[in-house]
Amino acid sequence: MFRPIEIAIGLRYTRAKRRNHFISFISLASMLGIAIGVTALITVISVMNGFEQELRARILGMVAHATISGAGEDLQDWQRAVEVARADPRVLGAAPYVERESLLQAGRTQGALLRGIDPALEPAVGEIADKMTEGAITDLTPGGFKILVGVDLALHLGVGVGDSITVLVPEFRSTPMGVAPQTRRFTVAGVFSAGMQEYDRQLAVVHMQDAQRLLRMGEGVTGVRLKLVDMFQGWQVARDLTEKLDQYYRIRDWSADHSNFFRAIKMEKTVMFIILSLIVAVAAFNLVSSLIMLVTDKQADIAILRTLGMSPASIMGVFVVQGSIIGVVGVLLGLIGGVALTANLQHVVHAIESGFGFEVMPADVYYITGLPTDLRFDDVGLIAVIALLMSMLATLYPAWRASRTDPATALRYE
């Protein structure tokens, strides 16, 4: 005989044609509910991962993985800092930068972050060269006093390539007319589009030497920007590099500069995971009603098995097996459906847009168009484990009820 007997009887009950078709319907509904819940959970979490990855890529395209700057003063010996950084195998690129808050004046006035870069070194740490919609990063030349502005900033100021912008920085100097801020007229040499309002509206880029002259910094810079092999090691790598230098430095990584933003995304993802897990839990606990109805239908069978010597624990195992089979099949169907839907989500969205004549995420409204996805198999595994555990827990009470069946009472009217 097939052993263990609990699995044999549980499989038999699963394959057998039941007299009560309503019980079969409830079991099928539970199975499909688990499958749909798992599919939805995998798809939604993958979409949220996709948006997080897309936002991270856009942000890191304009900022460095880590920065090393002077502690309370400008960084003078930045050339050595760049050499030390490039010698580290964990560093892909290093470039100096100058950064100050500024006020830009043209048709309108707008506050912006003024960043001075070296066009020859900047592509090693940033992607601004690839974000240009007009002009090129190589148009920035020493002494040319040219400026690159974000697309939204250019629109707000009412300027285009060839127009002039007056840059004012809060660095005051004495003049015969009194104390005045540092100002300089720059010519717009290009426009970039980073896909993030934070940079398209509030960032202006000039040549590093022009920024040094404007700010009267001499040969000093604000700091050195780093691009790493593993961006999650930003803090550790920057700290290791500063230990090789002779001065005190201030270090920051990308996560510190945007910690609140990514913490909010993580919190939103966690809350959504909990909400969708509750939906899976509701579907899983539909097993309770279907198994209780099955236990009631099989009272006579349970009583006979008890009289033949089967223990209450074995009776309980029979219904745990049957409920687990429903849960496993539902989870497997959900995994297949979730992975397939996620892999083809763009085609599904395109079909919906074509069929109903609208755009899910119009390009003139959203910076990110379409639904980016990032299917992570650690998330898929976690979802599968949670759904299986919920299904297993849902079988315990009906199985316990079955194990408490009294043979004499159940067979009294048979």
Side-chain angles (χ1 to χ4, degrees), residues 165-203:
I165 294 178
T166 299
V167 178
L168 182 150
V169 294
E171 300 285 340
F172 295 92
R173 61 187 177 90
S174 298
T175 67
M177 302 297 294
V179 178
Q182 299 284 82
T183 61
R184 184 77 190 198
R185 186 175 295 274
F186 285 78
T187 302
V188 178
V191 177
F192 60 84
S193 177
M196 290 286 293
Q197 188 177 22
E198 178 181 356
Y199 305 110
D200 289 343
R201 181 66 179 266
Q202 299 176 354
L203 179 64

Side-chain angles (χ1 to χ4, degrees), residues 32-277:
L32 292 178
I34 294 172
I36 293 173
V38 171
T39 298
L41 187 53
I42 291 175
T43 304
V44 171
I45 294 301
S46 297
V47 170
M48 297 192 71
N49 289 338
F51 275 106
E52 181 182 6
Q53 184 182 48
E54 183 75 15
L55 291 171
R56 181 182 288 120
R58 290 172 182 250
I59 290 174
L60 294 181
M62 301 302 294
V63 302
H65 292 173
T67 60
I68 301 175
S69 57
E73 58 183 9
D74 298 331
L75 186 63
Q76 298 296 329
D77 191 16
W78 60 267
Q79 294 89 345
R80 182 167 182 271
V82 170
E83 292 177 0
V84 171
R86 287 178 174 175
D88 194 305
R90 298 170 295 177
V91 178
L92 293 175
Y97 74 100
V98 174
E99 208 165 72
R100 288 291 192 280
E101 295 290 340
S102 67
L103 187 68
L104 307 186
Q105 293 179 333
R108 295 179 180 176
T109 302
Q110 173 67 38
L113 182 66
L114 185 69
R115 180 182 296 169
I117 64 170
D118 186 334
L121 301 177
E122 182 64 20
V125 297
E127 299 177 1
I128 190 171
D130 301 325
K131 306 290 185 180
M132 301 299 301
T133 58
E134 295 182 70
I137 191 175
T138 52
D139 293 334
L140 299 179
T141 56
F145 290 98
K146 296 182 178 181
I147 189 170
L148 308 178
V149 294
V151 59
D152 290 344
L153 181 58
L155 183 63
H156 178 77
L157 295 176
V159 297
V161 175
D163 294 333
S164 296
I165 294 178
T166 299
V167 178
L168 182 150
V169 294
E171 300 285 340
F172 295 92
R173 61 187 177 90
S174 298
T175 67
M177 302 297 294
V179 178
Q182 299 284 82
T183 61
R184 184 77 190 198
R185 186 175 295 274
F186 285 78
T187 302
V188 178
V191 177
F192 60 84
S193 177
M196 290 286 293
Q197 188 177 22
E198 178 181 356
Y199 305 110
D200 289 343
R201 181 66 179 266
Q202 299 176 354
L203 179 64
V205 180
V206 300
H207 195 282
M208 185 177 71
Q209 293 185 18
D210 292 344
Q212 289 171 330
R213 291 178 61 182
L214 175 64
L215 299 171
R216 300 179 182 273
M217 297 175 61
E219 296 297 324
V221 299
T222 302
V224 174
R225 306 169 70 218
L226 305 176
K227 184 176 182 179
L228 310 177
V229 175
D230 184 358
M231 64 181 182
F232 295 103
Q233 293 185 349
W235 179 267
Q236 182 64 42
V237 173
R239 189 179 67 177
D240 292 345
L241 293 176
T242 56
E243 291 178 354
K244 300 177 182 179
L245 302 173
D246 300 329
Q247 303 176 9
Y248 290 101
Y249 297 92
R250 179 173 178 263
I251 59 176
R252 290 183 67 86
D253 66 349
W254 64 272
S255 61
D257 291 334
H258 300 86
S259 58
N260 292 333
F261 179 76
F262 286 106
R263 192 176 294 117
I265 293 178
K266 184 177 180 180
M267 178 62 69
E268 183 179 1
K269 177 182 174 182
T270 302
V271 172
M272 186 62 67
F273 188 93
I274 293 173
I275 293 174
L276 292 176
S277 296

Side-chain angles (χ1 to χ4, degrees), residues 12-23:
R12 177 66 179 172
Y13 280 172
T14 302
R15 297 193 306 268
K17 183 182 293 185
R18 298 189 180 99
R19 293 169 295 178
N20 192 335
H21 296 289
F22 184 69
I23 299 176

